[in-house]
Structure formats: C-alpha cells, structure tokens
Amino acid sequence: MRPEASVLHLDLDAFFASVEQRDKPSLRGKPVVVGGVGARGVVATASYEARVFGVRSAMPGGEARRRCPHAAFLGGRFDAYREASGRVMDRLRALSPLVEPLSLDEAFVDLRTAESVPDYDTATLQRLVDALRASISEATDGLTASVGVGTSKFMAKIASELAKPDGSWIVEPGTEVALLAPMAVGVIPGVGPVTVDKLQRVGLHRVGDLQAVDVDELAQVLGRNAATALVALAHARDDRPVEAEREAKSISTEDTFERDLTDVAELTAILQRDARQVARRLTAAGLFARTVTLKLRRHDFSTITRSRTVLSATDRADVIASVAQSLLAGVDVTDGVRLLGVGVAGLTDVLQEDLFAEAEVAAAGAAADPAGLAGAAPVEHPEPPRRSGWTPGADVEHDEHGPGWVWGSGLGRVTVRFETRTSGPGPVRTFGVDDPHLRLRGGTPVA
C-alpha cells in the first residue's frame, strides 16, 4: 500500500450495452442485453435499464429473457467494442506510460509516472479525474466511465465500484480500513461463493469481521496462504505494481506429415485434436490465452501464419479450434500441406469471463466451414451451434435505405432498423434474406 493515492482504476459503464445504445438511437434509455443470443447464450453486459429487472452479467440468456422480455437482445459487435476500447486506452496512456489493461473496458493506471500530477491532494486528483472522464466521453462519442483512485490496486478497484455509474471516488490515505469494514466479504478479490459460504459458517460476514480475526484461526478454515492473503487485503495491504507489459509467452503444437495433405476435413480434424492438446496445456498451467495462431507449411516449404485475438482470454478447446479453423479457411490448400500447427499467445493467469465464447465459436465456425465439409470429420465433442449471419444487432447496409442494424431474422426474412449514431431513431423494414441489395456492413450479402 502506497503512502499516497496514486493508483487509478477506470471501468467503462455497462460497456458493450452502452456502445450499442450509442450507435442505435432507438435503444437509448431502454433495456439492452448483449451476449450470446442462442439457446446457450450468456449475458455479457446488461444496460442499467435492464439491471432494474434483475438482469446481470453471466446470467443465462433464458433467465434474462424471463426477467426482461421487452429488452433488446443483441449479439456482440467485437470490432465496435475494440475500436472504442482503443480510444480509451490511448487517453489513459497519454496520462501515464504505466497502464495495465485488464479487459476491453477496464484498466489500472499508475499516477506516479503521470507528468500532469504535481501532487496527490484530493482536490488535484479530483480535477485530473474529472478531466480524464470528460476526455474519454469526448473521444468515444458519449461513453461514460467510473473512476476510482486509491493507495493500491485493491482500493482503486473498490473506489471505482463505489463510483458506479458515471462517477468518481477518491479514497484518501488512512481511511481504507474504515471504508472496508462494513462491506461484505465478497468484495475482496478471489472470495467467491464457496469461500463466502465457508466464512459465513464461522460468523465472518463483513470485512470488519476479517479485520478482527486471528490469522491462525482463519487458517483452520481456509488454509495458511489464503488466510494470510485475506487478512492482508481486509486491512487494505496490497503491494501489487501496475504492470504495463506482461512477459511474452506462447503454447503451441504442430504436426509434420509423411505426405502432403489436401483434404479439408482431415486438416480440420487435426486442428481440433491440436486445439484440445493446447487447451489441456493451458489448463495444466492455469493460464488463459487471448490470441490463437495457425501455422501452415505448404508443399513448396513456404510457411504461412495467421492470428486472431478473441474477445476475452480463454482455455476452451472449442473456441481455440473454431478460431484456428476459420483461419485455415482463408488459405488455399489444394496443392498440399506438409505441416500444420495451432498456437496460443497473450497468456494471462486471470480469466476475464469468456461470455462471448458462444458467439466467437459460432462466427469462427461459419467462416471456417462455409461448405459444410468439416461435418464428416470425427470429433469428440458436438459441433458448436451454427447461427444465421443476420445476428441481432449486426451492422448492415442497403443500397437504397443506407446503413442500419439487424432488428431480427427468421423464416427467410430479416428485419432492419435504419439509423446511425447521429441520425436519431429510424424506420424499420423487412427484406428477404436473399435480397441482393442488403448486406452485412463491409461485407457481402448473406444468402
């Protein structure tokens, strides 16, 4: 814990849903739920209007629909989220060279390296935070952020939670223990439902209870290491540094064949097997990967590598396999492949919930197997569900009516609301899915 409040934590408010409301005027002020839209979909983010009805992140989509049936349920637009996130991270790096992104919508900033912070009194910090939030809103066309500042990562994170939504909170040095005392024990990082249950069974419900407990007594319930760490955090003792760069790591596996392979189904089966092996190694190491790489060597020994970064870190074999398969789909293998491999990079030991995994798998699978050739390949797990390209919320373009987004689709039709970020709410029209004048924005018609 530092003597001054010099660690900043920024969290964009209801990020994915806020981007959708920003870009879709008809949804502003209305319940919006973003995530997997299939039967096994999971809520990634719910707007504050949807949270009033009890919709929360990580909730099954079916439960969310029961609680808020009138909400707009949209699939993820990864490019839009990454673009907005990039603008925010650029503003943070302009403030300080020490920025540690945790996900697309969350980051720590070390203010000790910020040239614009002459001192750390509350008034100075408040002016800095207000200017930062205004700058981010301007850079992202209106997105809001909650910002906390404290003497450690833990306290800065607590502060940003207290500031939600669209606010700021500065924890002055020396006030940490008193601030934490009345909070539920679940606010401490790593204290999940199982640990909460164990603590409550021995009468420890609030952080203040942990502040008063003896480490030796707590060790009998949780073990020595966990008890020591928990009591330290209960007293706001956290010395973790803000780390701008992580050690470069990767895990990969590859196969060299006795004969050149040209069969897509056979190559797909090999990719799936290699992805399972990579996933097992990730699991064994307690790691998650953000980037999937395909390596392919042709018959003439020329080597091709293709990479794609997924929305959130994963150790799932089906996600890795589907992304690798989509990368393979962009390579001509008719002359033969002599080596094929799958690798992962951007490794982290912190799992940012892979709430869009279903959407990533479906999108990658559709791109990888447009002709359905992989269906004949032997697999150990069921093939991920396929979905129409007309995912609710997807950006589209019509030759006559201009840009819009998919309101819904089914029975050979797709309904589109024609509006943009700056147009105001627009009209709704329905077309056949094979309408040659309608296409995904930046793409081709989906037939």
Side-chain angles (χ1 to χ4, degrees):
M1 187 166 62
R2 302 178 177 189
E4 79 285 336
S6 57
V7 179
L8 181 148
H9 179 262
L10 177 139
D11 196 352
L12 291 162
D13 299 318
F15 179 48
F16 302 138
S18 294
V19 172
E20 298 300 340
Q21 290 177 318
R22 178 196 68 180
D23 295 346
K24 299 172 171 60
S26 61
L27 298 183
R28 293 171 189 167
K30 298 179 181 178
V32 175
V33 179
V34 180
V37 295
R40 297 184 298 133
V42 177
V43 175
T45 305
S47 68
Y48 286 98
E49 295 86 355
R51 295 181 192 188
V52 172
F53 297 89
V55 180
R56 295 289 183 269
S57 297
M59 177 181 288
E63 176 65 19
R65 289 179 185 275
R66 284 190 290 273
R67 295 192 181 202
C68 192
H70 58 292
F73 287 82
L74 309 176
R77 295 187 304 135
F78 309 136
D79 289 345
Y81 307 148
R82 291 187 181 109
E83 188 270 341
S85 175
R87 294 189 179 194
V88 173
M89 297 304 165
D90 285 345
R91 294 300 171 110
L92 295 182
R93 292 188 180 98
L95 174 63
S96 168
L98 274 180
V99 176
E100 181 180 342
L102 302 179
S103 59
L104 289 176
D105 59 343
E106 186 179 4
F108 286 112
V109 181
D110 192 332
L111 297 180
R112 281 181 171 175
T113 58
E115 296 181 359
S116 58
V117 185
D119 53 60
Y120 302 99
D121 66 90
T122 301
T124 298
L125 291 173
Q126 190 63 62
R127 286 193 294 271
L128 179 145
V129 169
D130 291 344
L132 174 64
R133 293 177 59 241
S135 172
I136 286 172
S137 179
E138 178 185 18
T140 59
D141 292 332
L143 298 185
T144 63
S146 297
V147 175
V149 183
T151 53
S152 66
K153 281 184 172 181
F154 176 41
M155 291 313 304
K157 172 74 170 175
I158 289 289
S160 68
E161 287 296 323
L162 292 172
K164 283 186 169 294
D166 191 20
S168 62
W169 192 293
I170 299 171
V171 181
E172 296 187 12
T175 67
E176 297 90 351
V177 173
L179 179 67
L180 290 172
M183 297 182 180
V185 292
V187 304
I188 297 178
V191 178
V194 174
T195 303
V196 168
D197 183 61
K198 289 180 180 179
L199 293 172
Q200 291 180 344
R201 273 192 253 163
V202 295
L204 303 175
H205 298 270
R206 302 291 172 185
V207 177
D209 299 330
L210 290 172
Q211 293 168 353
V213 76
D214 183 79
V215 173
D216 291 333
E217 293 179 12
L218 188 59
Q220 297 177 24
V221 179
L222 301 178
R224 172 64 58 179
N225 291 339
T228 301
L230 204 55
V231 170
L233 286 175
H235 288 87
R237 294 193 292 267
D238 176 20
D239 295 324
R240 293 173 298 159
V242 177
E243 298 177 313
E245 300 294 338
R246 298 180 183 271
E247 181 184 356
K249 301 176 183 177
S250 65
I251 294 175
S252 64
T253 185
E254 59 188 42
D255 300 273
T256 301
F257 313 122
E258 293 184 2
R259 58 179 177 81
D260 294 347
L261 302 182
T262 59
D263 183 71
V264 174
E266 186 176 6
L267 292 169
T268 298
I270 293 168
L271 283 182
Q272 292 170 338
R273 182 192 66 203
D274 287 351
R276 290 193 292 271
Q277 182 176 339
V278 168
R280 284 193 294 268
R281 292 170 61 187
L282 281 170
T283 301
L287 295 172
F288 306 90
R290 294 189 178 93
T291 301
V292 178
T293 299
L294 172 80
K295 179 180 178 180
L296 181 146
R297 184 164 296 147
R298 297 177 182 272
H299 70 290
D300 60 357
F301 289 88
S302 60
T303 301
I304 296 173
T305 58
R306 298 283 188 272
S307 297
R308 179 171 299 157
T309 298
V310 295
L311 183 67
S312 50
T314 185
D315 64 351
R316 286 179 48 180
D318 57 344
V319 174
I320 297 169
S322 293
V323 174
Q325 188 178 339
S326 71
L327 295 170
L328 177 65
V331 180
D332 182 3
V333 300
T334 55
D335 290 332
V337 175
R338 62 182 297 108
L339 178 147
L340 188 66
V342 177
V344 293
L347 306 188
T348 176
D349 58 0
V350 179
L351 174 62
Q352 305 296 324
E353 290 278 2
D354 196 7
L355 302 175
F356 275 114
E358 180 192 3
E360 294 271 18
V361 168
D369 189 25
L373 297 177
V379 295
E380 293 182 1
H381 305 288
E383 187 177 9
R386 298 293 175 82
R387 183 181 298 136
S388 163
W390 304 112
T391 303
D395 293 322
V396 298
E397 184 91 23
H398 190 276
D399 290 339
E400 179 183 352
H401 302 291
W405 57 278
V406 175
W407 182 271
S409 64
L411 301 177
R413 296 187 292 272
V414 57
T415 299
V416 176
R417 181 180 282 275
F418 290 98
E419 61 185 10
T420 66
R421 187 183 307 178
T422 59
S423 69
V428 175
R429 293 184 170 84
T430 299
F431 308 89
V433 295
D434 57 352
D435 190 318
H437 301 290
L438 182 68
R439 58 194 159 278
L440 294 174
R441 199 174 306 171
T444 55
V446 178

